[in-house]
Amino acid sequence: MVCGSSQLVDLISVCPYGEVRFKCDAPRSRAPFTITNTHRCPVAFKIKTTSPEKFRVRPSCGVIACGCSITVEVALCEGVSPRHVLCDKFLVVATPVQRENVCQKELCRLWKCVPQEQRFEHRLRCVLDAEPAPARACADVPSSGLPLRCLADKLECLMDRVCARQRLVERSARLQEQNHRLITSCLYILAALAVANAALILIAYRAVSEYGGGLVFGLIRRVSPSCASLWSWLL
């Protein structure tokens, strides 16, 4: 059911890139983000979190068609303050599939058997919309205007993508080596069969002068039909 792909780096895009942004003063705050399929195949996704008891995620899994997007809404559970989720994170896991209409049971089986090298992972951290600016804001913001923490999250995502690409390259190298060994074994087997057939034909030529062609042809047909057809053509 998994669609083979080596371009997991371009599988999906998530907006906002690395954040799930809650409103600071809202007791039941909701934070939407968008997942876009940038791959040539449909993409299955699921969303994990470090504290599932604090959040309601809708939808938490599904399939996105080629070139389409889906909006995921993260809502705080009752009694959870936005300030209590600043240390929590979300993980969007995606993998290419062959078709769009995949039921829930098939998705569960898919995530149990899909190999790690075919999983794309994107991390999101929880932030507040109206966070008070720290006293050292100037020291924590580089010249690009992005917080250092955001840059660190982006770097972590890029490192995950590099590791995924490296796993794909290693797997491809292992498959090429296995194919080379298989082809070599087949060539050895074909060479051995050719030698055996040649030996049978040679034995038949020597025996025909002593026992007659009909008896020898019957024996050859029982031992090797391919040699029998060649022998009948020679006769």
Side-chain angles (χ1 to χ4, degrees):
M1 193 167 99
V2 176
C3 177
S5 171
S6 60
Q7 299 295 328
L8 292 185
V9 175
D10 302 319
L11 197 58
I12 60 171
S13 64
V14 181
C15 182
Y17 181 81
E19 297 176 343
V20 177
R21 190 169 289 274
F22 295 97
K23 294 189 184 226
C24 181
D25 299 328
R28 305 269 317 256
S29 181
R30 299 174 182 270
F33 62 90
T34 302
I35 304 174
T36 302
N37 180 0
T38 57
H39 194 58
R40 65 177 181 269
C41 294
V43 170
F45 75 94
K46 69 174 179 176
I47 300 172
K48 298 180 178 181
T49 178
T50 53
S51 301
E53 71 280 0
K54 296 181 182 179
F55 307 99
R56 289 199 317 271
V57 182
R58 296 292 183 274
S60 60
C61 63
V63 177
I64 308 174
C66 304
C68 295
S69 300
I70 189 169
T71 299
V72 178
E73 187 176 72
V74 181
L76 296 179
C77 292
E78 188 175 357
V80 179
S81 169
R83 297 187 180 275
H84 294 161
V85 300
L86 291 179
C87 295
D88 293 313
K89 293 184 178 182
F90 288 86
L91 179 66
V92 181
V93 187
T95 188
V97 293
Q98 293 179 346
R99 53 190 174 88
E100 301 174 19
N101 53 340
V102 181
C103 67
Q104 192 67 29
K105 290 183 179 179
E106 289 178 322
L107 282 177
C108 292
R109 289 196 297 267
L110 168 69
W111 292 117
K112 288 180 181 179
C113 65
V114 64
Q116 184 63 35
E117 57 267 18
Q118 290 188 2
R119 295 178 181 228
F120 171 89
E121 296 182 351
H122 184 92
R123 288 175 172 79
L124 303 165
R125 65 184 182 90
C126 295
V127 297
L128 297 183
D129 242 349
E131 272 188 10
R136 297 181 299 168
C138 294
D140 289 341
V141 179
S143 58
S144 63
L146 293 174
L148 289 176
R149 186 175 179 182
C150 182
L151 290 176
D153 289 340
K154 290 187 176 182
L155 179 60
E156 185 179 2
C157 291
L158 289 175
M159 291 298 296
D160 290 340
R161 296 182 181 189
V162 170
C163 291
R165 176 63 62 86
Q166 184 176 3
R167 288 193 296 268
L168 285 173
V169 171
E170 291 174 354
R171 186 187 180 206
S172 176
R174 289 195 300 269
L175 289 176
Q176 288 181 358
E177 184 178 355
Q178 291 174 2
N179 290 336
H180 178 72
R181 289 200 297 265
L182 180 62
I183 292 173
T184 304
S185 301
C186 291
L187 290 176
Y188 279 130
I189 292 173
L190 290 175
L193 289 175
V195 171
N197 285 338
L200 285 174
I201 292 173
L202 181 61
I203 293 172
Y205 267 118
R206 291 183 177 178
V208 71
S209 58
E210 300 179 8
Y211 302 104
L215 179 61
V216 174
F217 178 74
L219 291 174
I220 293 176
R221 185 169 55 184
R222 289 186 180 183
V223 175
S224 176
S226 60
C227 286
S229 60
L230 178 61
W231 177 257
S232 62
W233 179 79
L234 290 174
L235 292 178

